[in-house]
Amino acid sequence: MQTITNIERGDHIATIREIAQLAEVSTATVSRVLNNDTTLSTSIETRDRIFAIAEELDYKPQRLKKLKQEMKRSTLQIGLLFWSMAEDEKDDPYFAAVRRGIEVHCEQLGISITKVIRGDFTTALAEAEGLDGLLVVGSIEVQDVLDIYPQPDRIVFVNHGEELFDYDSVHLNFDGAIRTSYQYLTSLGHEKIGFIGGVEWVHSLRDRPSIRRSEEHRYVAYTRMMRESGHYYACVEWVDDWSSQGGYEAMQRILMRGDRPTACLIASDNMAVGALHALHEAGISVPQHMSIVGFNDIELAAFVNPPLSTVHAHTELLGETAVKMLVERLEGRKVAMQVKLNTTFVERNSCMNNKD
């Protein structure tokens, strides 16, 4: 490890020994602190004292500022609050990717996630005590969150089902994603475009069985695009649990209609996989008789038959952005921000031209 051998202060060169004497520590400790040696076991008070003396002696203030920032980040106590249980997260690639983005970026910044909070209000209240910041993943009642952690300027809501204008939040640009998908289908000549959506629930910590239905952003964007395109054909089915089985059953209900769509937007790839199975089972060819567009771009989407055209959701970036926003807040940003991340449309083989 490269060490600092001297510190310039105007015409005077302050030595490590001088700083050590003033800080009442060894020269080795000064050197390791100023080189941000994370393996050094010493108190925060000692590190702060060494930095203060070095600053007083005018040692490279920008470098010192960065080192102090890194040191403070390494001591942060950050919590993750989830509504879902651990086993639910394992079965959901979307939220698993969000968490992976959070963990990877925290590691890059030298931040430790000290608490992963799941459970009822009483459990969450005890676990959140003493945290420096909180990342809330998924849709949980805002007031419940504030009741367990009453520091709104130290909370970032990640992928909350509702728009939160008064708090830091980050979610996908659902409107832009559905607009791109819908316009893609209309460019292929489709006018009878159906929609299979998942029900959005906002969960309560105080009363875990209690849930409140909220607006589903993809459905809102779908209805807006219908109006803007002058289309009057509406075919909508809902899935409570966003599962492949739910998508399968929703497509079966669509196929029972006399006037079925020529294309269908589906709010998650999991549901789209189930819908494809229902179509294959009914002898309806995709994309020859119905075009399908999914959402998320899970790994399986490229390997189903036919490979699924879908919206790539940058879910790991959601987690990374949430960490950046929280760090900004802890380091002085005063104004709450609402960040929307754009998506990328991925064209594969589940759609075809419907023009005469």
Side-chain angles (χ1 to χ4, degrees):
M1 181 179 68
Q2 184 180 2
T3 59
I4 301 168
T5 57
N6 55 54
I7 298 176
E8 296 182 1
R9 184 187 63 177
D11 296 332
H12 173 73
I13 297 179
T15 65
I16 289 271
R17 185 179 299 279
E18 181 180 356
I19 297 174
Q21 288 174 344
L22 292 171
E24 299 180 341
V25 296
S26 70
T27 55
T29 297
V30 173
S31 177
R32 292 175 68 181
V33 166
L34 294 182
N35 280 282
N36 199 31
D37 184 349
T38 56
T39 66
L40 176 64
S41 177
T42 188
S43 68
I44 298 301
E45 292 77 10
T46 298
R47 289 175 181 263
D48 284 343
R49 187 164 69 252
I50 291 170
F51 278 119
I53 292 169
E55 280 185 305
E56 187 179 341
L57 298 177
D58 294 331
Y59 164 68
K60 300 177 183 176
Q62 289 305 314
R63 172 64 178 155
L64 273 180
K65 181 178 179 181
K66 183 179 179 181
L67 286 171
K68 287 180 70 177
Q69 192 176 67
E70 290 173 355
M71 184 192 73
K72 287 180 179 178
R73 287 176 180 175
S74 70
T75 65
L76 291 175
Q77 304 286 308
I78 302 299
L80 298 185
L81 174 60
F82 289 91
W83 164 253
S84 63
M85 294 295 100
E87 55 271 19
D88 298 327
E89 186 185 327
K90 290 178 183 177
D91 296 332
D92 190 331
Y94 187 94
F95 284 104
V98 171
R99 178 167 177 173
R100 188 162 57 248
I102 290 172
E103 291 175 338
V104 168
H105 198 59
C106 279
E107 185 177 351
Q108 290 172 347
L109 294 178
I111 297 172
S112 297
I113 299 170
T114 54
K115 294 284 182 65
V116 177
I117 306 170
R118 307 178 191 270
D120 59 20
F121 182 84
T122 303
T123 301
L125 181 64
E127 293 275 306
E129 187 175 0
L131 292 175
D132 295 302
L134 185 66
L135 298 170
V136 182
V137 182
S139 299
I140 300 176
E141 292 286 3
V142 172
Q143 191 55 57
D144 286 1
V145 175
L146 294 176
D147 286 345
I148 68 159
Y149 190 74
Q151 301 186 68
D153 58 343
R154 291 174 171 241
I155 300 172
V156 178
F157 292 90
V158 190
N159 205 73
H160 197 281
E162 299 172 320
E163 294 200 73
L164 305 176
F165 298 104
D166 298 325
Y167 311 98
D168 277 337
S169 64
V170 55
H171 50 88
L172 297 176
N173 181 0
F174 293 108
D175 184 79
I178 296 301
R179 178 175 295 274
T180 298
S181 301
Y182 199 98
Q183 288 175 340
Y184 172 71
L185 290 173
T186 58
S187 74
L188 296 176
H190 294 280
E191 295 183 359
K192 295 164 62 175
I193 301 172
F195 179 84
I196 296 177
V199 177
E200 275 289 354
W201 302 108
V202 180
H203 301 269
S204 170
L205 291 176
R206 288 188 176 278
D207 180 13
R208 283 190 64 83
S210 175
I211 52 177
R212 172 173 58 84
R213 186 167 179 168
S214 67
E215 255 186 351
E216 209 288 288
H217 298 295
R218 279 158 281 210
Y219 171 71
V220 173
Y222 163 76
T223 57
R224 183 183 298 117
M225 288 306 301
M226 277 201 308
R227 291 194 302 270
E228 290 183 9
S229 302
H231 296 162
Y232 299 98
Y233 175 88
C235 174
V236 178
E237 291 290 341
W238 292 100
V239 177
D240 284 343
D241 60 359
W242 297 78
S243 67
S244 295
Q245 179 65 30
Y248 171 81
E249 294 171 359
M251 182 56 75
Q252 284 186 318
R253 293 193 294 271
I254 286 176
L255 295 179
M256 292 173 63
R257 297 171 180 241
D259 185 23
R260 65 177 179 235
T262 62
C264 194
L265 292 174
I266 304 181
S268 84
D269 287 347
N270 280 338
M271 294 191 295
V273 169
L276 283 172
H277 182 63
L279 290 165
H280 292 327
E281 194 174 77
I284 296 171
S285 178
V286 177
Q288 286 77 9
H289 300 129
M290 188 184 294
S291 293
I292 299 292
V293 175
F295 197 103
N296 285 351
D297 194 24
I298 62 175
E299 185 178 1
L300 183 61
F303 298 99
V304 292
N305 183 28
L308 184 64
S309 294
T310 186
V311 172
H312 181 79
H314 301 278
T315 42
E316 287 196 31
L317 186 58
L318 274 173
E320 177 183 333
T321 303
V323 174
K324 289 179 179 177
M325 293 172 71
L326 183 57
V327 170
E328 286 176 4
R329 275 296 225 177
L330 297 177
E331 294 179 354
R333 175 167 55 83
K334 302 297 183 186
V335 179
M337 292 174 58
Q338 185 187 51
V339 176
K340 291 185 180 182
L341 297 182
N342 287 336
T343 56
T344 304
F345 187 79
V346 180
E347 183 178 358
R348 294 196 180 103
N349 299 332
S350 63
C351 300
M352 73 176 295
N353 201 313
N354 192 53
K355 295 177 181 176
D356 295 330

